[in-house]
Amino acid sequence: MIISGQSFAAIWNGIDLAAWLVDGHTLQIRHANEAAARLVGRSVADMEGMPVHGLVVTPEDLIFWGQSHAGIAAGIHSHTWVRNMHSGNLVPVDRRVLAIQASEGDPADRYLLLTMQDRSEHEASQRELESLLSELRATLDSAADGVLTCNLHGEIRAFNQRLAQIWQLPRELLLRRDDAAIRAHMEGQVLDAEAYRLRLAAIAHEPMLETTDILHLRNGMTVEQRSVPQLIQGRPAGRVYSFRDISRQAEVQAGLRLAARVFESSLDAIFIADERHAVARINPGCEQLLGAAAQGVVGRRVTALFAMAQDDAEFMAEVRQGWEQAGFWEGELRLRQEEDAHCCVQLSWVALRDDAGAVAQSIGFMRDLSVQHAAQKRIEELAYSDALTGLPNRLPLNKRVAAAIEASRGHGGGFAILFLDLDRFKNVNDSLGHPFGDRVLKLVAERLQGCLRQSDMLCRLGGDEFVIYLHDADAAIAESVARRVQEEMLRPFMLDEMGFSIQCSIGMSLYPQDGDALDDLIKHADTAMYRVKERGRGSYGFYQPQMNAHLLSRMKMEHAMRQALNHGHMAVHYQPQVDMATGCIVGAEALVRWTDPEFGVVSPGTFVPLAEESGYIVTLGAWVMEQAVKEAAHWMGCGTPLVVSVNVSALEFRQAGFVERISALLAQYNLPARWLELELTETVLLQDAQEMQQVLDALARLGVGLSIDDFGTGYSSLAYLKKLTIHRLKIDKSFVGGLPGDGGDCAIVQAIVSMGRALRIGVVAEGVETQAQRQALQGMGCDCYQGFLCAPAMPAADFRARMAEPATGAKRIAKAAVDGGRIAKR
């Protein structure tokens, strides 16, 4: 490093850093600047020529300057001390030693530059900061509340000993930094850990949020957790949590815990009173709570703030007793706010005593209970009444029935329970919407209430189900009320200028013969109502003990039916359809049959309605459809193609994607659509006629045939025959059975056949059992027939065997029936 003399002098005289130029070989000071003189309290002249050892005051420095020339020339940067000769004090310095070349021709380590920076102010600031931190930590550790601070990312910055005590932090967590472990431990101490975790997450999303929460720990402690944002220059930089053990207060306020959660994040209103119990000061929360009454409150007695039923002396006697026993008084009072305006508050009034034990001051904490009381009232309303109709619910009904049962034990007597269900109310919700349906339920509730006495009770259980308690009622009274309800419900309803009718089914049970508890009585009335619905709806009936056995049998059968497919107990049989003119088999109807290990052969008239009611008909029908298509494909493959007819229920037909599934099934088994015919009832076609027409048109485009099953037995509107693509009509066996002797049956059958011919629709007669019936049908012009005259429904293998016979085989079958060789019915 080469520096000219002029430049060196300028630098030397301009810096405020203490500097000495030391001879690298003799270690004598050659030059020193004014800053050096001020630092060590010596003049520049005194230091020039002085050994550098004269500045040394520490053993470490003596060792450094006692090294070899090469070791010293290597330099050093360290903190050390020098003595100020003027004051005698040791001064902390930042010291550097650097080898330099003062002029050209000198070796590189000819001189050493020694510089020192006074660190006194830095050391003092550091000590002050450490002292402040120690004081802050001591303050935190002496606080009654546990305190925890964290940054915006949730990383823990500090916590005090009280926090460790409250949360029972293990010693190993206090000795190492592991935020995740600490938080996991705290979470594990809370009874409702999931709610605690969600609450912390919500707080973390709102940096400026101030919160108060009540936590219940596993050790039985109840802790109030408060959190406030930590601000730096007005911006959130973290969060401070404080934890206070409020177990004692929680025990006192056990009855108010639920309502207290509503206000757990609100600030209390606080007042301070003097020894004469006059208000000395109130906080903003108290001002807000008092409203206009806050003006002039300071100086007034605390008792003047409240409207009490007792006089001041009596009230203060109670307060003093609380102060003596527990140190505080707590209770609910009515706080005066404005003229003729009050609110209910929870007052916790704490006494502060002087050294002599006398009350020197007192502090009152008030919490507004208005919302809490309103919420409690609403909770009670919801707990005991139906939210939609305002009727009593199950709870008051339980109390009423329990009281009636208790009273009956003393003097006898009984009562009745009516279970009422609106028939097909789902149609109202589906067509007009649930809001409209809710309004209808309100009208129904009003109408039902008008049918009862004041001593009776009407309850809504939910949905469209109602329960009626008839006080001191026998079977006659129950029946008269049920009849009155039915008559009242038959009167038209009017809503939004639209008239409509609502029908209901009612089941009834009597106490004590039908049960000795409300649950049993409701269950039995429900069973009776269910039987009413089975018999056609819109009526009423009493419970009979055998009804339970019927329901149990029905449940067992439904369970067995749902297992039958997987266990191979279901089968598809095929009944031939015979051409009247030729006697040849021209088609077959696929019919499901069930043989159960427990129930034996179950009639389709028994299990098909059960399948429809339970919704299982969709699964069962899909299986039958696939078996039928598969079998028809087999017939076609054997060179004997026949149309196979499959019954389709209303529920199946309305399934989304029904046409697509039929198309996929035909494609899967390579069966042309013309060999499949679907049989539907008139009822299916007349419900949602526009939607049904779209489905039928899609099936017609696909090429699938359509047959109307049991034609003439429904509520026929014959207009659909010309609108829909229909291929065949099936005459119900109830009309065929009276042929040829019954004139009415003959007229109906003739009308159906004539209608079919006029509309160019094929006609098939079902249930043909005698040659006379067949001849009568043939004479009327019927196209085809099926029934025991030809053959009953038979397994697929048997049907294939019949199909394998010569073409005259079918005629032989018919002739055998004529000769008396009837095929036995199943």
Side-chain angles (χ1 to χ4, degrees), residues 140-147 159-168 221 243-245:
L140 279 176
D141 286 339
S142 63
D145 295 345
V147 179
F159 57 85
N160 63 355
Q161 289 296 324
R162 181 56 179 155
L163 180 111
Q165 295 171 0
I166 290 176
W167 290 95
Q168 297 181 344
M221 185 183 296
F243 303 89
R244 175 175 298 178
D245 181 2

Side-chain angles (χ1 to χ4, degrees), residues 694-709:
Q694 294 175 357
V695 178
L696 293 173
D697 289 345
L699 290 170
R701 289 193 297 271
L702 192 62
V704 174
L706 176 65
S707 174
I708 306 303
D709 194 19

Side-chain angles (χ1 to χ4, degrees), residues 424-695:
R424 300 183 180 91
F425 188 73
K426 183 177 182 296
N427 294 340
V428 175
N429 285 331
D430 291 346
S431 59
L432 300 175
H434 286 275
F436 187 90
D438 289 345
R439 295 166 64 194
V440 172
L441 288 173
K442 292 180 181 179
L443 293 179
V444 169
E446 293 175 4
R447 194 168 288 188
L448 292 176
Q449 192 70 65
C451 298
L452 305 179
R453 302 165 298 179
Q454 190 172 1
S455 59
D456 302 328
M457 178 179 284
L458 171 64
C459 302
R460 178 175 176 245
L461 294 187
D464 59 345
E465 295 178 341
F466 296 83
V467 169
I468 298 174
Y469 162 80
L470 296 180
H471 182 68
D472 198 17
D474 55 14
I477 294 176
E479 185 173 4
S480 68
V481 172
R483 190 181 304 111
R484 189 186 318 144
V485 168
Q486 292 284 1
E487 293 172 354
E488 189 68 20
M489 294 297 290
L490 286 176
R491 291 195 302 109
F493 287 82
M494 183 66 66
L495 190 61
D496 293 342
E497 299 182 355
M498 181 175 67
F500 56 91
S501 299
I502 296 292
Q503 181 178 276
C504 67
S505 298
I506 304 173
M508 296 176 285
S509 60
L510 300 173
Y511 174 84
Q513 51 264 51
D514 293 333
D516 56 2
L518 177 60
D519 288 344
D520 292 336
L521 292 169
I522 289 179
K523 181 179 70 174
H524 292 159
D526 185 21
T527 300
M529 184 275 297
Y530 186 82
R531 177 57 63 89
V532 169
K533 284 185 177 290
E534 282 185 332
R535 294 178 176 177
R537 308 173 189 267
S539 185
Y540 58 86
F542 285 95
Y543 169 74
Q544 301 295 332
Q546 61 268 26
M547 290 179 179
N548 279 342
H550 171 75
L551 285 178
L552 180 60
S553 174
R554 184 184 181 90
M555 289 173 59
K556 291 175 64 177
M557 180 167 288
E558 181 179 345
H559 176 72
M561 178 183 66
R562 291 180 179 274
Q563 304 298 315
L565 278 183
N566 292 335
H567 294 163
H569 298 156
M570 290 284 187
V572 177
H573 288 190
Y574 301 89
Q575 185 173 42
Q577 294 176 337
V578 182
D579 183 272
M580 282 284 188
T582 65
C584 294
I585 298 175
V586 293
E589 181 179 0
L591 299 168
V592 64
R593 295 293 183 259
W594 177 21
T595 303
D596 188 78
E598 179 180 354
F599 297 104
V601 176
V602 184
S603 168
T606 299
F607 73 84
V608 170
L610 182 61
E612 290 179 339
E613 182 179 330
S614 65
Y616 187 67
I617 193 67
V618 175
T619 300
L620 185 58
W623 178 78
V624 172
M625 181 71 71
E626 182 173 4
Q627 300 304 309
V629 170
K630 182 179 179 181
E631 186 64 22
H634 178 79
W635 298 339
M636 188 178 67
C638 294
T640 55
L642 289 178
V643 174
V644 61
S645 299
V646 182
N647 289 280
V648 178
S649 72
L651 192 58
E652 288 180 86
F653 200 67
R654 291 192 180 92
Q655 293 296 305
F658 176 77
V659 177
E660 290 75 7
R661 286 199 293 275
I662 295 295
S663 177
L665 203 57
L666 293 171
Q668 179 182 351
Y669 291 102
N670 296 316
L671 179 67
R674 68 178 181 274
W675 299 113
L676 176 64
E677 181 178 83
L678 305 183
E679 294 191 11
L680 301 171
T681 63
E682 291 176 285
T683 306
V684 174
L685 298 177
L686 294 176
Q687 293 176 352
D688 300 325
Q690 184 175 1
E691 181 182 350
M692 292 301 99
Q693 184 170 352
Q694 294 175 357
V695 178

Side-chain angles (χ1 to χ4, degrees), residues 764-784:
V764 180
E766 294 183 301
V768 178
E769 298 184 355
T770 68
Q771 183 66 19
Q773 292 172 347
R774 188 197 68 79
Q775 289 174 348
L777 288 167
Q778 186 175 14
M780 295 178 188
C782 182
D783 300 308
C784 299

Side-chain angles (χ1 to χ4, degrees), residues 266-280:
S266 66
L267 297 176
D268 290 342
I270 303 173
F271 67 79
I272 301 175
D274 59 21
E275 73 280 1
R276 296 178 294 105
H277 315 309
V279 177

Side-chain angles (χ1 to χ4, degrees), residues 8 11-13 15-22 29-40 44 47-48 52 55 94 96 100 112-117:
F8 178 79
I11 295 172
W12 193 257
N13 293 326
I15 62 176
D16 192 33
L17 184 67
W20 293 265
L21 188 63
V22 181
I29 297 174
R30 298 293 302 273
H31 297 287
N33 65 1
E34 289 298 328
R38 291 192 299 271
L39 179 65
V40 299
V44 173
M47 288 187 288
E48 290 180 351
V52 74
L55 300 176
D94 184 76
R96 289 177 182 270
I100 63 173
L112 302 171
L113 178 62
L114 171 61
T115 62
M116 296 185 186
Q117 177 71 47

